[in-house]
Amino acid sequence: MKISELAERSGVPLSSIKFYLREGLLPAGERSAPNQARYGPAHLSRLELIRALREVAGLGVEAVRAVLQQLDQGWEAQGDPVGEALRAAIAAPAQAPDAAAREELRAAEQEVQAFLEGLDWACDDHPRHLFADAIAASLVQVRRYLFPGYAAADLAPYARVAWLLSEVEYANSPDGPRVPMPGDDLTDPTRRAVLGSILFGRIFSALRNAANAMRSIRTTAGLPIPPPER
Amino acid sequence: MKISELAERSGVPLSSIKFYLREGLLPAGERSAPNQARYGPAHLSRLELIRALREVAGLGVEAVRAVLQQLDQGWEAQGDPVGEALRAAIAAPAQAPDAAAREELRAAEQEVQAFLEGLDWACDDHPRHLFADAIAASLVQVRRYLFPGYAAADLAPYARVAWLLSEVEYANSPDGPRVPMPGDDLTDPTRRAVLGSILFGRIFSALRNAANAMRSIRTTAGLPIPPPER
């Protein structure tokens, strides 16, 4: 296909495609005339990857380059190229996701809110603390880029794990769980809650990345997959 | 105490304290002479909170202001002031954490790596994919700001939940788990792995925040705590 068709089919503006070609992120097409080149399905799928990394993962051009370099080393240089690419993407600082279409987002937020309020661990107070807005923003992108029919209710197994994790988090504090009561001074509890949430959030996120990487490596290599301890 | 003692005991430079006073993040001391004010333990604990929000949580001044505003509304305006403050902190964009002392970090990384390699789901290949570096960076800060004696092995319950979560993540894909095999084209698997990891990571992180908030609200209000489904 010509570059104009590549732009149309990928949804990526012509100017961006030319930029990616100049930067070497997208390989040159096959020259078909002095001022024209032809592109194939590999260019299209590469472009969809670049677009996903830029728009959804929020990666800068250099981070995208790092991911693509891992990818291009392929199976020869390493046993787990997708894992290497993923590590490069996760290590890179991400920008905030772009604002999704307002109406789509609002509908998703209502759906997520209803799903969350139906969980046995939810309560009626403080509905904003169910974080439906954050979940809906990502759910909209899951539908757009991964699984078009994905429903909020499909998140039920994740919600079960989240509740189990919160039990672990409360029990795991060396001083025991400390929830301030009305009238208590809040400064130190706030400091501990904010830091604990952020630091253990980062730790758990890294453990999740590790667990997913190990599951992927074990699956690819045909190694046994230990069952989770419950 | 005088402002110089406040600086010494909090470890916050005098110039920063003066800045926080000017910005109204720290309330003025009690005037004791035309050019001198006295500060109490409430100033010290407030300053430790500000420092934690700035240095560890990586919040900008305006985000710190938002957290403190929630805190200052206290128990009168809302039933869950720590939760409101936490939400303000989590919603704010964070900077990268500052570089911790190299030696401390290296020792922590070795300890974390050894802990991870002892997990039944780890494998010998690809030790970098255990993300010991990311975990160690946060562990060092947990020790510095929250629990001085926290050991890598104390993370075992988190690691168990992470492995359970990875089972859910593999099973929850509508197309079933798809792990590329040597020789497959990697572009689309990479796009799906990167997007899936980042988007479901954000979703799970929001669900964790929701679960912790609900557990805290239930505990404070004396509501029943449903056991996790296993």
Side-chain angles (χ1 to χ4, degrees):
Chain A
M1 69 192 97
K2 291 186 196 171
I3 194 168
S4 54
E5 191 184 343
L6 187 62
E8 197 175 319
R9 286 179 58 178
S10 66
V12 177
L14 202 58
S15 57
S16 301
I17 296 179
K18 287 180 176 169
F19 173 74
Y20 297 146
L21 286 166
R22 275 201 309 277
E23 287 286 322
L25 301 183
L26 193 66
E30 201 186 326
R31 189 123 330 252
S32 58
N35 215 355
Q36 207 168 64
R38 300 199 75 82
Y39 301 87
H43 287 94
L44 188 58
S45 98
R46 178 89 162 191
L47 206 46
E48 280 167 355
L49 171 61
I50 294 172
R51 183 182 174 211
L53 293 170
R54 296 277 287 147
E55 292 182 16
V56 184
L59 301 188
V61 170
E62 289 318 307
V64 171
R65 192 189 307 280
V67 173
L68 295 174
Q69 273 168 356
Q70 293 296 340
L71 186 65
D72 290 339
Q73 289 179 27
W75 294 98
E76 287 73 30
Q78 45 193 353
D80 181 29
V82 174
E84 292 291 344
L86 188 56
R87 203 181 190 286
I90 288 170
Q95 301 152 9
D98 65 343
R102 301 273 163 221
E103 201 40 59
E104 188 184 14
L105 191 58
R106 196 169 305 129
E109 206 169 317
Q110 282 174 2
E111 183 191 344
V112 170
Q113 187 75 33
F115 160 69
L116 293 172
E117 287 175 359
L119 295 172
D120 65 350
W121 49 261
C123 17
D124 299 336
D125 294 351
H126 311 296
R128 283 176 64 242
H129 288 234
L130 289 168
F131 293 86
D133 48 353
I135 295 170
S138 292
L139 182 63
V140 162
Q141 294 191 307
V142 164
R143 287 176 182 159
R144 195 178 304 160
Y145 293 100
L146 289 173
F147 311 123
Y150 205 94
D154 293 333
L155 296 172
Y158 288 89
R160 275 197 292 277
V161 178
W163 187 244
L164 173 63
L165 178 60
S166 82
E167 185 182 73
V168 163
E169 298 212 67
Y170 266 62
N172 196 238
S173 156
D175 308 324
R178 294 195 307 181
V179 176
M181 291 298 152
D184 285 358
D185 179 69
L186 296 171
T187 312
D188 196 57
T190 296
R191 184 182 68 85
R192 301 183 76 85
V194 170
L195 287 193
S197 179
I198 289 175
L199 293 176
F200 283 98
R202 287 183 194 148
I203 287 173
F204 186 79
S205 169
L207 284 169
R208 167 185 177 257
N209 291 334
N212 282 338
M214 293 300 129
R215 191 172 290 273
S216 164
I217 290 167
R218 284 180 175 273
T219 304
T220 308
L223 293 171
I225 311 282
E229 292 175 57
R230 283 156 200 262
Chain B
M1 70 193 99
K2 290 186 198 171
I3 194 168
S4 54
E5 190 184 343
L6 188 62
E8 198 175 315
R9 288 178 59 178
S10 66
V12 177
L14 202 57
S15 58
S16 301
I17 295 180
K18 287 180 177 170
F19 173 73
Y20 298 146
L21 285 167
R22 273 200 311 276
E23 288 285 323
L25 301 184
L26 193 64
E30 200 186 328
R31 191 127 325 256
S32 57
N35 217 356
Q36 208 169 63
R38 302 199 73 80
Y39 301 87
H43 287 95
L44 188 59
S45 97
R46 177 90 162 192
L47 206 45
E48 280 167 354
L49 171 61
I50 295 172
R51 185 183 175 210
L53 293 170
R54 296 277 290 147
E55 292 181 16
V56 184
L59 302 188
V61 170
E62 289 318 307
V64 171
R65 192 189 307 280
V67 172
L68 294 175
Q69 273 169 357
Q70 294 296 339
L71 185 64
D72 290 340
Q73 289 180 24
W75 293 99
E76 287 73 31
Q78 43 191 353
D80 181 31
V82 174
E84 292 291 343
L86 188 57
R87 201 179 194 287
I90 288 170
Q95 302 154 9
D98 64 343
R102 302 271 165 222
E103 200 42 56
E104 188 184 14
L105 191 58
R106 197 171 303 127
E109 204 169 320
Q110 282 174 3
E111 183 191 343
V112 170
Q113 187 75 34
F115 160 69
L116 293 171
E117 287 175 0
L119 295 172
D120 65 348
W121 51 260
C123 23
D124 299 337
D125 295 351
H126 312 296
R128 283 175 65 244
H129 288 235
L130 289 168
F131 293 87
D133 47 354
I135 295 170
S138 292
L139 183 62
V140 162
Q141 295 192 307
V142 164
R143 287 174 182 160
R144 196 179 301 159
Y145 293 99
L146 289 173
F147 311 122
Y150 206 94
D154 294 333
L155 295 173
Y158 287 89
R160 275 198 291 280
V161 177
W163 187 244
L164 173 63
L165 178 59
S166 81
E167 186 182 74
V168 163
E169 298 212 66
Y170 267 63
N172 196 237
S173 156
D175 308 324
R178 295 195 306 181
V179 176
M181 291 298 153
D184 286 356
D185 179 71
L186 296 172
T187 311
D188 196 57
T190 297
R191 183 182 68 84
R192 300 182 78 85
V194 170
L195 288 192
S197 179
I198 289 175
L199 293 178
F200 283 99
R202 287 182 194 149
I203 287 172
F204 185 79
S205 170
L207 284 169
R208 167 185 177 258
N209 291 334
N212 282 338
M214 293 300 128
R215 190 173 290 271
S216 165
I217 290 167
R218 283 180 176 274
T219 304
T220 307
L223 294 170
I225 311 281
E229 293 176 55
R230 282 156 201 264

